[in-house]
Amino acid sequence: MKYVFHPEALTEYAEAVQYYTERRAEVAQAFIDAVEDAIYRIRESPTRWRPIDEDIRRCLTRKFPYGILYTIEQDYILILAVMHCSREPGYWKSRRE
């Protein structure tokens, strides 16, 4: 199944990559790999993760404290947030419209 990022989720992802790049390029690449792995797992089995808020589901990345929040639309998966787990819960809710 194909997927698309909400524009703000894509910005979050880019900012996190930039943060890790400023530390070490190897860590940034490991972060990218972890996010891409989570997206792959979501695409392979989108209903595997239970809803956390109505139709919003969360898949945690491996090795990094991030969750991929997404909805299953008719023809694609919409990634609403690439959320650091220490962020305030629900900050992404306005992206559902």
Side-chain angles (χ1 to χ4, degrees):
M1 183 175 274
K2 75 176 195 172
Y3 66 95
V4 296
F5 280 91
H6 184 282
E8 291 178 63
L10 192 57
T11 298
E12 285 175 334
Y13 186 21
E15 287 174 352
V17 169
Q18 181 63 36
Y19 170 83
Y20 288 117
T21 298
E22 290 170 1
R23 272 57 187 168
R24 279 194 21 221
E26 298 84 6
V27 176
Q29 187 58 56
F31 175 72
I32 292 167
D33 293 345
V35 170
E36 295 301 318
D37 174 67
I39 292 170
Y40 174 81
R41 290 183 286 130
I42 292 166
R43 292 176 67 202
E44 288 295 305
S45 183
T47 59
R48 180 177 173 187
W49 292 272
R50 67 177 179 79
I52 61 167
D53 187 300
E54 294 181 24
D55 62 340
I56 310 301
R57 297 170 187 265
R58 181 183 68 188
C59 173
L60 297 175
T61 61
R62 295 180 175 140
K63 299 181 184 177
F64 289 87
Y66 280 82
I68 310 300
L69 278 62
Y70 67 98
T71 63
I72 304 168
E73 303 297 325
Q74 187 163 350
D75 297 323
Y76 62 95
I77 294 166
L78 173 61
I79 297 175
L80 292 171
V82 179
M83 181 183 93
H84 192 284
C85 291
S86 69
R87 288 215 47 190
E88 179 180 333
Y91 76 91
W92 46 267
K93 288 186 178 187
S94 65
R95 300 177 188 177
R96 294 169 52 175
E97 280 91 54

